[in-house]
Amino acid sequence: MENCLFCKIIAGAIPSSKVYEDEKILAFRDIAPQAPIHVLVIPKTHIASVDEITAENSGIVAYIFENIPKIAKLAGIENGYRVISNCGKDACQTVPHLHFHILGGAQLSGQMC
Ligand code: AMP
Ligand code: ZN
């Protein structure tokens, strides 16, 4: 996707602070962290949002979640974390490439919104 910010990060056209990368996924630190440790995990294939997950492409979502515990540890999270995916306007999704926020590094609020 030519005009997708996260596809550009995957391609290396925009720099990122990488935490983990393999042939299927990339994890990097959020540029505007909302917790002491805030990492984004994205598939290297362009999927716009949770709304676009199907039986055909959900394997990559499972793969992301299989890797999230390792990515959280690599990022320095020790005592738990929150995983969030904002989907669509009301959830304030700003980048239309599927991503999962990993938030940790401190006691988080009991409120989720
Ligand atoms: P969302 O609002 O759920 O779509 O999340 C998009 C996230 O991408 C936000 O938390 C932004 O701070 C983050 N972000 C935007 N541009 C960059 C960038 N160049 N590098 C790292 N994170 C970014
Ligand atoms: Zn993309």
Side-chain angles (χ1 to χ4, degrees):
M1 291 291 285
E2 262 176 37
N3 285 320
C4 172
L5 174 65
F6 287 174
C7 283
K8 287 179 183 168
I9 287 178
I10 291 162
I14 293 175
S16 67
S17 176
K18 283 181 197 174
V19 173
Y20 175 79
E21 180 173 21
D22 65 24
E23 70 282 6
K24 293 180 184 169
I25 63 174
L26 174 66
F28 54 99
R29 294 188 191 271
D30 197 293
I31 204 166
Q34 295 193 35
I37 301 174
H38 184 171
V39 174
L40 302 173
V41 190
I42 64 175
K44 288 191 171 179
T45 51
H46 183 89
I47 299 170
S49 73
V50 169
D51 259 352
E52 304 299 320
I53 296 171
T54 65
E56 283 68 43
N57 66 20
S58 62
I60 193 63
V61 179
Y63 186 77
I64 285 172
F65 275 81
E66 288 163 19
N67 279 277
I68 279 177
K70 175 175 68 190
I71 292 166
K73 284 190 187 71
L74 285 171
I77 294 174
E78 292 178 344
N79 295 315
Y81 51 88
R82 182 169 290 154
V83 180
I84 293 175
S85 190
N86 296 319
C87 179
K89 181 177 166 291
D90 279 3
C92 302
Q93 182 180 5
T94 57
V95 179
H97 180 123
L98 181 66
H99 52 283
F100 296 92
H101 298 258
I102 305 176
L103 298 151
Q107 178 65 58
L108 302 178
S109 163
Q111 303 291 318
M112 282 190 284
C113 63

